[in-house]
Amino acid sequence: MGITTFPTIEKCTLEGREKDTVVADLDGTLLRSRTSFAYFALVAFDVCGVLRLMFLLLVSPLIGFLYYFISESAGIQGIIFATFAGMKVSDTESTARVVLPKYYSEDLHPESLRVFSSCGKRCVLTANPRIMVEPFLKDYLGADIVIGTEIETYKGRATGFVRSPGVLIGQKKADALRKTFGESQPEIGLGDRDTDIPFMTLCKEGYFVPSKPKVKALTADKLPKPIIFHDGRLVQKPTPLMALLIILWIPFGFLLACMRISIGLLLPISLHYYVCWLSGIRFIIKGVPPPPIKKSKDKTGILFVCCHRTLLDPFFLSVALGRHIPTVSYSLSRISEIISPIKTIRLTRDRASDASIIKKLLKEGDLAICPEGTTCREPFLLRFSSLFAELTDEIVPVALESKTSMFHPTTARGWKGMDSFYFFMDPSPIYKVTFLNKLSSELICKFGKPSHEVANYIQRAIATTLSYECTNFTRKDKYRALAGNDGTVAEKGRRIKAKKLASYSYDKLVR
């Protein structure tokens, strides 16, 4: 009996499934792709770097031979060993929690998820390592039970071998299902290949998910839960071809980044706009950049209130204006300070002291500030701190947008000193600066407007310009979700003050 003898997933009715139990495979069933190489590659690169990714790519032909000509189990054991051998379990868990969900969510099969979400109890049965898939399945798809291959560990590190009963393939999936559910029989079983038949026959109804390369993944607005925060350096899913391109590009990309940064340090700011285009950076300016205000006792400089997309926001704002605009920051790596052509002043996190610093700087001239306090990759804006609104009447909102095709230039867990390099390593990054109108008198604190209303107004104005969504999340929310700390850095030791990761919820989303 072949898998095609089961009815297709489209024929599964959804009415009255609230009390039913569904058991689904992952690759090719809940996910569109039938191979999980890219997800193993993401773990390899995020935890161990480009050398482990290179090793995984080099042994992939052998893994493919084992998978297709020996057994599925042997192939999966091979890729597990190549990826996980020697890794810290804590690093693997962190990557599974904050890196992989973004890529899994972009690969969801709409028909399978429709059936999966309609049932009251949900179980996923997969040959993938449980440690790699469980956070996404439970936190974002609402899975109650995740049964996967278990990895052997020794003193907090993965050995690369798998625990008994081995890789969950074929009859081993059926045995694991019996062990979990006992005599009770799940109502629905979903699979996509012949090795799924043993567990599907244990269910009251079995449905086949046919391979359709052109099936479209769920759009972001239809996901069960929005992914606002995620980490990791790779923009695209590293398929074998993409992984090869990344490995080949990194040496050239680093040299390109050094060249771009050196030119930025040596040439005057007025020439940077043309240099950006000549070096492959697509730099777009919209709106009318305001001229500098003439200094007087009654007037302060202009405060440019920007959304925060990357560490380079103040630099590209300065390039758009054709003049150096200093900025304030809570923390900045030493190497980023050295290579930055823009003056950066540290804030103290004490409201009165920070207000005094910003007022002093505004008396000296224009200033840039990012009231979100941290970056966000997705089309969402974090809550704007209202302190800036109390300090000046000369406020110009600025909408910033950054796009890269290979590397993310931000991180919450990695070395922040490489953020600028990763942006400039990208083959053809895009930066868009849009100047909004200066705030009118009825919208500033001087004429009775509360500071938090001013901050909210600017947040909404920038979000509308970029077609983003406003949230109530803060810098601390981001770091607690991604790094397990509050994101603060001690000045003396430069050490992160780690806090125990709190349970995290997206219920605060959207005001």
Side-chain angles (χ1 to χ4, degrees), residues 231-278:
D231 210 19
R233 289 294 192 183
L234 299 182
V235 173
Q236 299 186 48
K237 196 165 63 170
T239 60
L241 178 59
M242 180 54 63
L244 177 62
L245 291 175
I246 290 168
I247 292 167
L248 295 176
W249 175 255
I250 282 178
F252 298 102
F254 186 76
L255 293 175
L256 177 62
C258 291
M259 183 197 73
R260 286 168 169 171
I261 291 171
S262 299
I263 292 173
L265 290 172
L266 296 173
L267 293 182
I269 196 74
S270 57
L271 297 178
H272 283 191
Y273 174 82
Y274 306 102
V275 171
C276 284
W277 281 95
L278 289 173

Side-chain angles (χ1 to χ4, degrees), residues 13 64 101 104 132 188 205 207 229 293 346 376 435 501:
T13 57
Y104 280 134
M132 194 169 92
I188 300 176
E205 305 171 43
Y207 293 95
F229 302 129
I293 293 178
R346 292 182 182 277
C376 182
F435 293 95
L501 183 65

Side-chain angles (χ1 to χ4, degrees), residues 72-132:
E72 285 189 34
S73 178
I76 294 171
Q77 282 181 317
I79 197 169
I80 288 174
F81 184 86
T83 302
F84 290 98
M87 278 188 187
K88 286 185 177 180
V89 174
S90 58
D91 291 340
T92 306
E93 291 173 339
S94 177
T95 298
R97 181 172 54 82
V98 304
V99 177
L100 296 184
K102 167 66 177 175
Y103 302 92
Y104 280 134
S105 68
E106 294 174 345
D107 196 25
L108 288 172
H109 195 294
E111 285 298 321
S112 300
L113 189 63
R114 176 181 66 89
V115 175
F116 190 77
S117 301
S118 68
C119 295
K121 188 172 183 180
R122 304 160 191 167
C123 173
V124 178
L125 193 57
T126 175
N128 284 294
R130 180 187 55 80
I131 192 175
M132 194 169 92

